[in-house]
Amino acid sequence: MADTTVLREGLRFGEGPRQGPDGRLFYSDFYDHQVRALDLASGEEEVVCEVPEQPSGLGWLPDGRLLVVSMRDRKVLRLEPDGLVEHADLGDIATFHANDMLVDAKGRAYVGNFGFDLHAVLAWGGDAPLLEPDWVAPGTPLALVEPDGKVSVAVEDMKFPNGTGLLPDGRLVVAETLAFGLTAFTVADDGSLSDRHVFASLREHYIAPDGIAVDADGGVWVAPAIQPFAFRVEEGGEITRKVETSQLCFAVAIVEDKLVCCTAPSSQPEVVAEARLGKLEVFDL
């Protein structure tokens, strides 16, 4: 039985949850092509914008303007008063769909991408090929987008860089989904990354980390993508908490004192794009 409470049903596929500057939960629904904002206290929800090429990661510039990853055309868009405009083109860096994103306090965005056609692999063999210890996922860069939209490579050869967060000590932590672990970096004043090191290896737990959320104590809440749980992981790999969800958990966020989980029965478009089986689930921390 799930530990969570279902907050919203009827999503197609929720992703990229973040607490916004106004305290509301912002999230993307891939196949409704919408970014939404939800007040957890009142339950009131609004459509913030529509992204035809599929929204994913979210973040904010220091002046409060929203940035949105547009997946299929591999761009970061910026919400202005009169609508969305192009902020950055990742086409020369991302080797498949752009995906999750972290925007830091200076407005620098770190953007991951699939690296290859993951859905085609899943359609062919399910999760089995990904779990084989000798299967090596194609590498792809993590992109760095400056506040003015300038794009560069932050890190080469990541195995599906996905959820990203900042640790209390200032390090950047990235979920490498197909490396089955969390990877950390030292962040320089100019946003460049160095000292790549393992924060936590999760393969022995069959955790392919998707979305992540960092708590105030430096623990990382992990959505495992192929399991109906959210896990809290300490540096070194110790799992200190485990929260059961009603279906597979693909993304997490901490909003005030609640863990918010985006869940669905599958990530395969042919399963979830037409059906409305996605949910937002919450757990009191």
Side-chain angles (χ1 to χ4, degrees), residues 172-185:
L172 188 83
V173 60
V174 182
E176 283 195 81
T177 301
L178 296 178
F180 289 84
L182 304 175
T183 303
F185 301 88

Side-chain angles (χ1 to χ4, degrees), residues 155-202:
V155 185
E156 296 277 10
D157 193 28
M158 301 201 78
K159 308 302 184 184
F160 201 137
N162 211 326
T164 306
L166 283 171
L167 296 164
D169 62 10
R171 287 178 296 161
L172 188 83
V173 60
V174 182
E176 283 195 81
T177 301
L178 296 178
F180 289 84
L182 304 175
T183 303
F185 301 88
T186 298
V187 183
D189 290 341
D190 64 358
S192 60
L193 304 181
S194 63
D195 184 30
R196 182 175 184 164
H197 55 283
V198 174
F199 181 89
S201 178
L202 300 171

Side-chain angles (χ1 to χ4, degrees), residues 30 54-57 69-76 90 94-100 111-114:
F30 277 11
Q54 202 167 298
S56 184
V69 170
S70 182
M71 296 182 71
R72 292 182 178 276
D73 56 357
R74 308 178 199 183
K75 294 182 178 181
V76 177
L90 308 177
T95 53
F96 205 67
H97 294 340
N99 191 29
D100 216 332
V111 191
N113 75 93
F114 284 35

Side-chain angles (χ1 to χ4, degrees), residues 100-102 104 108-112 142-144 154 164 172 187 191 193:
D100 216 332
M101 173 174 67
L102 171 79
D104 70 12
R108 297 179 298 220
Y110 298 89
V111 191
L142 178 74
L144 170 60
T164 306
L172 188 83
V187 183
L193 304 181

Side-chain angles (χ1 to χ4, degrees), residues 89-160:
D89 188 338
L90 308 177
D92 291 337
I93 292 179
T95 53
F96 205 67
H97 294 340
N99 191 29
D100 216 332
M101 173 174 67
L102 171 79
V103 182
D104 70 12
K106 295 182 178 180
R108 297 179 298 220
Y110 298 89
V111 191
N113 75 93
F114 284 35
F116 68 107
D117 191 346
L118 174 68
H119 293 313
V121 173
L122 293 174
W124 170 71
D127 297 331
L130 311 184
L131 297 172
E132 291 293 332
D134 58 349
W135 186 79
V136 178
T140 193
L142 178 74
L144 170 60
V145 179
E146 301 291 347
D148 63 1
K150 179 183 176 183
V151 180
S152 62
V153 172
V155 185
E156 296 277 10
D157 193 28
M158 301 201 78
K159 308 302 184 184
F160 201 137

